[in-house]
Amino acid sequence: MPAANGNNAGILKSGHDARLLSRSNKCGNTSGLAPGYVQTNLIVLPSRYASDFRLLCARNTVPCPLVAESATPGHWGKIKSHLLGIDGETLAKGLDIRRDAPKYNVYVDGKLHRQDCEDIVTEWTDDHVAFLIGCSFSFETALADAGLTPTHTARGRNVPMYRTTLPLCAAGVFRDSTYVVSMRSYPASEVERVRDITRPFASTHGEPVAWGWDALERLGIRDIDSPQWGDAPLAKIDGKPLSSFKNNEAEVPVFWGCGVTPQEAVMRANLEGVVMAHSPGHMILLDTLDVETIRKF
Amino acid sequence: MPAANGNNAGILKSGHDARLLSRSNKCGNTSGLAPGYVQTNLIVLPSRYASDFRLLCARNTVPCPLVAESATPGHWGKIKSHLLGIDGETLAKGLDIRRDAPKYNVYVDGKLHRQDCEDIVTEWTDDHVAFLIGCSFSFETALADAGLTPTHTARGRNVPMYRTTLPLCAAGVFRDSTYVVSMRSYPASEVERVRDITRPFASTHGEPVAWGWDALERLGIRDIDSPQWGDAPLAKIDGKPLSSFKNNEAEVPVFWGCGVTPQEAVMRANLEGVVMAHSPGHMILLDTLDVETIRKF
């Protein structure tokens, strides 16, 4: 069965299989690739920025949930887990951060240097620190299990992601940045159930940050049909552009913190040196199941 | 030497002394009462709301830094610390949360029931859970040590606090709430130094969330001279209302997350049952020094 991401790999059985496929350079985007396994965003920074980046995550836990990082600078295989009760080795056995995302982007002195490259073996140095950040693909399995399959998944499209005017809390060199949000639409009457289902997934953005048609103004989103990343949203009910339901309770936008946020923050900070990241939609998959990351509060 | 808070206690030598004074009902507000000791905001909730409140803090770590909570429901003396490397008993020896704030407010079914009462011994039940939240009085000693004494301290006034339009990340019953911020003014040229000094105090709000005259619009603050809590701010330079320096780089407002935020969130949630809190400005002091709470990232 071909995966929704359009590559020919089919649906894989584990995060480990997804990493091996990425390493063979035969993997497209990872949406729906190995259902139930945690997917993560990647940021690789010169070590002098690592402390400020950790602080950025600690001060903005919803858009920037830090899942793991290099055990020490230069480590691309040995990682330190930030998930309670799960150690780094369990998280991703035999990991090679330089090759285990399907595609990468490389920035030099704040400017895009290489796009969609297959690995970052050449660019990686002993001074680089990698950070893995939770991805909201993780709770989509739980939504589907509750009969609330996101429309983009059902229609084989990518999730729409938007830049907002909602400021991040500044942290050192990372300032003047704003939330990026992902969006899934639901009937207004289902929003509380959607909140309840996604709430426990705190390591992968948890419950929504805003919902309803009036949220657009609060978030500074001008056009729901024109996301900055991913595919334009279609209404579940009739497949028309979602804006055709504007101010209609039958289908309202629901917004979650998005793992593109830290990548945006890093790009806006105009860091000196070589910075690397996964190419959006091309995540690093872990050996851990989403349900294993659920946190009780 | 009389303390800046106007009560006759003088400046006390420890947080423990401050708690004993509060217990004797002879203590006014706690601004500058025992310099260097951590001061905390108090929220006491029926246990059924405890989980959502913990999540609110985890999702909004800057305005709601959780320092400690009741070890189990009903405990007013035994607390569980959330500060790394400091246990509950070390935090506050012989604590009695029901009596160790100088003044309390009691809410029943979302409405103010008793104001500025001396203790909450009568209202406390076996079902109540207390939460202690960091207070930004904590980094004022560090600012003063660097020659950056906040103007309100130098003039013997309370810090100005403002409601903003900046949304909190929702958490269960806690939704539709916004940041409260405290404000201290500095020359624009000193803002980076002020950021650096307060950054390590992550358990007591850390570095500012916004600064400069244009931050007023971003935060939805209409009138800098009319804070919702505390005293109106005066300019350091000439003692006139701070607004007289509007758009002048010689003195710009700098805003931090404020521990009134969780109290506001709790009040807006219209919780059923008996909710208790300290009276603003009347904090519970701990035995821990502010510098002991510094976190490296």
Side-chain angles (χ1 to χ4, degrees), chain A residues 51-52 54-55 58-62 166-167 169-172 174-175 179 192 195 199 205-209 211 297, chain B residues 51-52 54-55 58-62 166-167 169-172 174-175 179 192 195 199 205-209 211 297:
Chain A
S51 164
D52 282 355
R54 272 180 217 113
L55 184 62
R59 284 168 67 86
N60 300 279
T61 54
V62 172
L166 195 61
C169 288
F174 302 107
R175 41 175 286 188
Y179 279 57
E192 284 306 312
R195 293 183 68 208
R199 184 169 300 129
H205 307 296
E207 69 170 274
V209 294
W211 52 89
F297 285 90
Chain B
S51 164
D52 282 356
R54 271 181 218 112
L55 184 62
R59 284 168 67 86
N60 300 279
T61 54
V62 172
L166 194 61
C169 289
F174 302 107
R175 43 175 284 188
Y179 277 60
E192 284 305 313
R195 292 183 69 207
R199 184 169 302 129
H205 307 298
E207 70 169 90
V209 294
W211 52 90
F297 285 90

Side-chain angles (χ1 to χ4, degrees), chain A residues 14-68:
Chain A
S14 72
H16 187 251
D17 287 351
R19 293 200 303 281
L20 291 181
L21 185 70
S22 295
R23 211 176 286 184
S24 75
N25 299 328
K26 289 178 186 159
C27 188
N29 82 62
T30 57
S31 172
L33 188 59
Y37 285 88
V38 172
Q39 301 209 11
T40 59
N41 302 271
L42 172 71
I43 296 282
V44 182
L45 301 173
S47 64
R48 64 186 174 283
Y49 300 122
S51 164
D52 282 355
F53 187 77
R54 272 180 217 113
L55 184 62
L56 181 77
C57 294
R59 284 168 67 86
N60 300 279
T61 54
V62 172
C64 312
L66 188 52
V67 165

Side-chain angles (χ1 to χ4, degrees), chain B residues 47-82:
Chain B
S47 64
R48 65 186 174 281
Y49 300 122
S51 164
D52 282 356
F53 187 76
R54 271 181 218 112
L55 184 62
L56 181 78
C57 294
R59 284 168 67 86
N60 300 279
T61 54
V62 172
C64 312
L66 188 52
V67 166
E69 64 175 280
S70 296
T72 55
H75 263 303
W76 42 260
K78 198 172 172 188
I79 54 171
K80 188 163 52 180
S81 168
H82 290 277

